């Protein structure tokens, strides 16, 4: 089988500029790999991350074929009763045929450049424990033993994911100090 002649190229899009064909490939991947986000009232969800989180998509594609993707969202989190604006990469994915070629690591490196320039309070991400070293490669720090508590007051549960952080703004240190003794509280997993 010959290699495709279309080169794999980087692109970045605001959410409302993401070409529909690429959006569908992100959505289909999410629907299959993370079905819990597409259940019940969200069965017909058409957004990759809720538009209120102002997603910025960074991706590699060969023409209209998606190779690898992530999006950077902005969310409000709470630690010890204090609110912080956090920027976070999410929907991090590489289609199976292109895995272990470094595509996602390249996107992670680009994402942190953008996150480090952000005016938010802190960089955060959550992931399964075995992927913590993968994000550690581009400077994310594992917040060891910090529980991530999800859901509205009185109906919370503890996420199985681990938390990684990145100091970016003047309030990062304040948030990181509080995280030493308090869980991260979020309304929903993103
Ligand atoms: C995780 C994922 C995005 C990596 O994409 P990729 O383009 O293959 O990543 P890279 O080639 O840049 O880096 C590969 C590295 O990822 C890490 N990695 C990937 N899958 C892993 C797994 N299941 N467990 C542990 N580490 C893993 C390894 O460190 C690997 O490095 P190695 O090849 O030197 O062993 C891809 O495997 C994927 O789409 N997985 C399913 C969706 C997912 O889990 N996304 C992350 C959500 S937080």
């Amino acid at each position: 089988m010959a290699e495709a002649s279309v080169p794999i190229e980087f692109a970045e899009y605001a959410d409302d500029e993401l070409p529909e064909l690429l959006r569908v490939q992100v959505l289909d991947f999410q629907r299959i790999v993370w079905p819990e986000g597409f259940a019940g009232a969200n069965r017909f969800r058409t957004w990759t991350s809720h538009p209120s989180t102002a997603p910025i998509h960074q991706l590699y594609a060969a023409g209209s074929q998606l190779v690898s993707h992530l999006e950077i969202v902005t969310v409000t989190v709470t630690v010890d009763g204090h609110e912080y604006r956090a920027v976070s990469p999410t929907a991090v994915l590489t289609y199976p045929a292109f895995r272990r070629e470094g595509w996602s690591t390249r996107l992670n490196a680009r994402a942190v450049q953008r996150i480090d320039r952000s005016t938010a309070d802190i960089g955060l991400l959550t992931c399964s424990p075995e992927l913590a070293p993968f994000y550690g490669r581009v400077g994310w720090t594992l917040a060891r033993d910090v529980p991530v508590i999800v859901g509205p007051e009185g109906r919370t549960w503890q996420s199985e994911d681990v938390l990684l952080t990145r100091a970016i703004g003047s309030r990062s240190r304040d948030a990181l100090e509080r995280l030493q003794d308090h869980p991260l509280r979020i309304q929903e997993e993103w």
Side-chain angles (χ1 to χ4, degrees):
M1 181 79 71
E3 283 286 299
S5 56
V6 183
I8 297 174
E9 289 177 328
F10 174 77
E12 181 174 293
Y13 299 99
D15 198 41
D16 58 0
E17 292 168 352
L18 181 67
E20 199 52 27
L21 204 43
L22 294 175
R23 183 186 306 282
V24 167
Q25 290 171 80
V26 178
L27 269 170
D28 286 350
F29 188 105
Q30 291 178 298
R31 287 204 296 161
I32 292 166
V33 178
W34 299 297
E36 59 284 355
F38 292 80
N42 281 335
R43 265 196 323 163
F44 296 100
R45 172 179 149 186
T46 57
W47 36 270
T48 60
S49 291
H50 196 273
S52 64
T53 65
I56 302 289
H57 301 264
Q58 297 186 325
L59 58 87
Y60 284 101
S64 60
Q65 184 178 4
L66 185 63
V67 167
S68 190
H69 166 272
L70 62 73
E71 58 200 67
I72 301 168
V73 294
T74 304
V75 294
T76 301
V77 303
T78 307
V79 188
D80 187 22
H82 294 254
E83 286 192 348
Y84 300 92
R85 280 179 65 242
V87 272
S88 179
T90 187
V92 177
L93 62 91
T94 300
Y95 266 78
F98 300 96
R99 286 193 186 155
R100 305 221 137 149
E101 295 179 4
W103 297 111
S104 193
T105 299
R106 283 179 211 118
L107 287 181
N108 285 336
R110 286 183 183 265
V112 297
Q113 285 177 11
R114 194 177 173 106
I115 287 169
D116 290 350
R117 289 197 310 266
S118 140
T119 57
D121 297 322
I122 189 166
L124 295 179
L125 73 78
T126 58
C127 67
S128 57
E130 68 269 18
L131 283 177
F134 168 65
Y135 292 108
R137 284 179 182 179
V138 292
W140 289 93
T141 304
L142 179 63
R144 239 170 250 289
D145 301 326
V146 177
V148 178
I149 306 296
V150 193
E153 199 62 53
R155 280 190 292 129
T156 58
W157 69 93
Q158 183 170 339
S159 170
E160 291 175 2
D161 284 351
V162 293
L163 174 67
L164 285 86
T165 65
R166 192 169 186 92
I168 56 169
S170 57
R171 293 189 71 218
S172 285
R173 185 196 289 195
D174 180 60
L176 290 170
E177 278 177 12
R178 290 182 198 283
L179 281 170
Q180 288 177 8
D181 301 314
H182 300 88
L184 179 77
R185 294 287 309 267
I186 57 178
Q187 283 301 305
E188 51 193 43
E189 291 182 282
W190 61 84

